[in-house]
Amino acid sequence: CPAIDACERSNGGCSSKAECRRTTPGSRTCVCSAGYTGDGIVCLEINPCLVNNGGCDRNAECTQTGPNQAVCNCLKGYSGDGKTCTYISLCSQNNGGCSEFAICNDTELTERTCTCKANYIGDGFKCRGNIFQELLRNSNTSRFYFHLEALSIKDISGPGPFTVFVPHTDVLNSDPRVKDWIAKGVMAQVLRYHVVGCANLLYKDLTAITNITSLHGDLIHISYSQNSLVLNNKAEIILSDAVGTNGVIHVISQILVP
């Protein structure tokens, strides 16, 4: 008599995800296929993510892709292959977007704070030093800075406060009188005429004043008309309120002459 193959029909009663194996005539055993678990009659997919996060890093997400198969992806704020994930410091690249004069501190994932360093003021993203430093950092005022440097005028690097009316760089470069003043040794007097000591005068403060005394000793006349502030009836304030740690800078359209 031929032996009965218990696996011949309906996979021997085993699960469709199992292999039916003949043992003795008329008998069989059911073995779940790779990636599945069970008694062979019932076979369930193995989800590797349920045990030890599927072998992924604790800062990674395990995602099942098939029977006993998964991929690991680092969580936001971390980088790596998923098996190993390293915290990404926002401050490690470009100072976290903070000012070069600020300290960047990582606070939590995807978050950081920016704090201006000592002797600087601002919101951390933009930090300003004293007005002497700020003159150099702005192309509109850098020429004035170089004239101060050339004559070793350091008044506005002191504690202040100061209010400085700075002729625009283009004006200082193009006005032929500048070379004359330098040759005659009076450029220092001209420059000091643009600085007011012991006062931190913003644009709104200037609208209520008619005269102020410069470091040179002479008065600067201020008039306000047609929404513009004009000094000595000639030089208009074209950029205002560049605040530093020891004062404020206003850019003007003409050179003031004492």
Side-chain angles (χ1 to χ4, degrees):
C1 296
I4 297 172
D5 183 353
C7 294
E8 188 174 5
R9 294 181 182 178
S10 301
N11 198 29
C14 301
S15 165
S16 62
K17 305 298 184 184
E19 178 188 0
C20 180
R21 297 177 183 174
R22 292 173 57 191
T23 51
T24 57
S27 297
R28 55 91 179 101
T29 185
C30 301
V31 180
C32 291
S33 302
Y36 293 84
T37 185
D39 60 6
I41 305 298
V42 176
C43 293
L44 302 174
E45 259 189 27
I46 297 172
N47 183 352
C49 296
L50 299 178
V51 179
N52 195 31
N53 199 29
C56 303
D57 188 275
R58 65 189 181 91
N59 294 307
E61 179 182 22
C62 179
T63 304
Q64 184 184 5
T65 56
N68 204 26
Q69 294 178 331
V71 293
C72 303
N73 294 297
C74 293
L75 297 174
K76 187 176 182 181
Y78 292 85
S79 67
D81 60 4
K83 299 290 185 182
T84 302
C85 297
T86 307
Y87 174 62
I88 301 170
S89 168
L90 292 179
C91 296
S92 66
Q93 297 180 347
N94 195 33
N95 200 30
C98 303
S99 164
E100 61 180 306
F101 303 111
I103 297 169
C104 179
N105 285 307
D106 288 293
T107 53
E108 55 183 274
L109 290 181
T110 71
E111 296 292 334
R112 53 88 180 89
T113 60
C114 302
T115 307
C116 292
K117 295 177 181 177
N119 300 318
Y120 287 88
I121 59 171
D123 59 7
F125 297 97
K126 182 179 262 188
C127 298
R128 298 175 298 278
N130 66 48
I131 52 179
F132 192 62
Q133 295 169 309
E134 293 306 304
L135 287 174
L136 179 61
R137 293 174 60 190
N138 189 327
S139 62
N140 295 322
T141 58
S142 57
R143 192 63 188 162
F144 191 82
Y145 170 89
F146 291 127
H147 281 300
L148 292 174
E149 272 284 278
L151 295 169
S152 298
I153 299 174
K154 305 288 187 182
D155 301 309
I156 59 174
S157 60
F162 301 99
T163 299
V164 187
F165 301 104
V166 182
H168 193 282
T169 287
D170 292 343
V171 174
L172 284 171
N173 284 338
S174 61
D175 195 318
R177 296 175 298 172
V178 172
K179 287 184 180 179
D180 235 15
W181 291 328
I182 293 172
K184 292 177 180 177
V186 298
M187 190 63 183
Q189 298 171 42
V190 174
L191 295 175
R192 283 197 170 96
Y193 185 49
H194 291 77
V195 181
V196 177
C198 303
N200 188 22
L201 300 170
L202 298 175
Y203 191 92
K204 62 181 177 61
D205 302 318
L206 294 170
T207 60
I209 299 173
T210 54
N211 290 292
I212 47 177
T213 304
S214 71
L215 286 186
H216 177 257
D218 287 355
L219 289 177
I220 299 173
H221 176 67
I222 303 173
S223 55
Y224 183 73
S225 64
Q226 297 180 345
N227 297 321
S228 294
L229 273 175
V230 179
L231 309 182
N232 293 349
N233 299 315
K234 183 178 182 181
E236 182 183 349
I237 294 179
I238 52 178
L239 296 169
S240 62
D241 295 352
V243 178
T245 56
N246 64 340
V248 60
I249 297 168
H250 303 286
V251 180
I252 57 179
S253 62
Q254 296 292 330
I255 300 173
L256 301 177
V257 182

